[in-house]
Amino acid sequence: MPNNILISGYPGIGKTTLINKIIKRLNCKIGGFYTSEKREKGKRTGFYIKDFSGNQMVMAEVNFKSRYRVGKYGVNVKAFEKIGIPALKKANETSDLIVVDEIGKMEMFCSNFCKILEEIFDSPKPLLATIKKVDCKLTTKLKARDDVKIFELRIDNRDEMIYSIIDRLSLIL
């Protein structure tokens, strides 16, 4: 049975919200990282990367000067080096479940993140991750693995998807 669970879907469909709902219902040691919006005056101005120990950094921001850009956001690759990678290494050593929110364009700018991601996928530990819908070389490779189960999140299945994923996790945790 595949132990790598991927939640795929278009931006804004609710992948991060779903991950957060699932995490709150689980009773196991969770490690890895998740993202959240940075908002100012009611508008999204960027994104944070956060680990499960409370560490966080801005990973992308409208006014961030960087050669790496996704849309209007400058990407802070150092945030992945300082928060994401250590969180994944620690999770692979000490957690029951590894969470990666998300495997997307911003994260792909960090080559060390891509390397550790493949190690995480090869690990016997269960993985719960969100992944971008539109593929690149790495996400195509990850989605095609035999040890991956993909759940595609859509507007018409958002409410019941949580139960399908929790049922799957209960079989592998």
Side-chain angles (χ1 to χ4, degrees), residues 14 24 42-43 107 109 147:
K24 288 177 183 170
K43 293 185 180 183
E107 293 80 4
F109 290 127
D147 59 352

Side-chain angles (χ1 to χ4, degrees), residues 36-54:
S36 66
E37 291 183 347
K38 181 176 190 270
R39 299 186 78 81
E40 294 176 15
K41 298 179 184 174
K43 293 185 180 183
R44 184 170 68 191
T45 59
F47 298 91
Y48 292 103
I49 182 171
K50 301 178 179 184
D51 67 20
F52 289 94
S53 299

Side-chain angles (χ1 to χ4, degrees), residues 4-98:
N4 296 312
I5 297 173
L6 301 179
I7 302 169
S8 181
Y10 289 109
I13 197 70
K15 296 183 300 290
T16 297
T17 300
L18 180 60
I19 284 263
N20 288 328
K21 286 180 180 179
I22 292 168
I23 288 168
K24 288 177 183 170
R25 293 177 180 223
L26 296 176
N27 187 20
C28 63
K29 185 168 170 106
I30 298 170
F33 70 86
Y34 61 100
T35 60
S36 66
E37 291 183 347
K38 181 176 190 270
R39 299 186 78 81
E40 294 176 15
K41 298 179 184 174
K43 293 185 180 183
R44 184 170 68 191
T45 59
F47 298 91
Y48 292 103
I49 182 171
K50 301 178 179 184
D51 67 20
F52 289 94
S53 299
N55 300 306
Q56 74 174 24
M57 283 181 74
V58 173
M59 74 173 194
E61 194 168 28
V62 172
N63 297 322
F64 188 75
K65 302 270 190 264
S66 173
R67 67 182 184 152
Y68 304 107
R69 301 203 65 82
V70 174
K72 63 184 177 180
Y73 302 104
V75 179
N76 180 7
V77 174
K78 288 183 181 179
F80 297 103
E81 297 282 349
K82 291 186 176 186
I83 303 290
I85 292 170
L88 291 177
K89 287 180 179 178
K90 182 179 176 186
N92 205 18
E93 293 170 7
T94 65
S95 297
D96 300 321
L97 176 67
I98 301 169

Side-chain angles (χ1 to χ4, degrees), residues 72-129:
K72 63 184 177 180
Y73 302 104
V75 179
N76 180 7
V77 174
K78 288 183 181 179
F80 297 103
E81 297 282 349
K82 291 186 176 186
I83 303 290
I85 292 170
L88 291 177
K89 287 180 179 178
K90 182 179 176 186
N92 205 18
E93 293 170 7
T94 65
S95 297
D96 300 321
L97 176 67
I98 301 169
V99 172
V100 178
D101 175 42
E102 111 170 39
I103 304 168
K105 285 183 183 179
M106 292 181 189
E107 293 80 4
M108 296 296 158
F109 290 127
C110 180
S111 60
N112 288 333
F113 170 76
C114 295
K115 287 176 194 169
I116 189 134
L117 191 60
E118 292 194 81
E119 291 174 24
I120 295 293
F121 270 77
D122 289 338
S123 166
K125 297 232 174 157
L127 168 70
L128 176 62

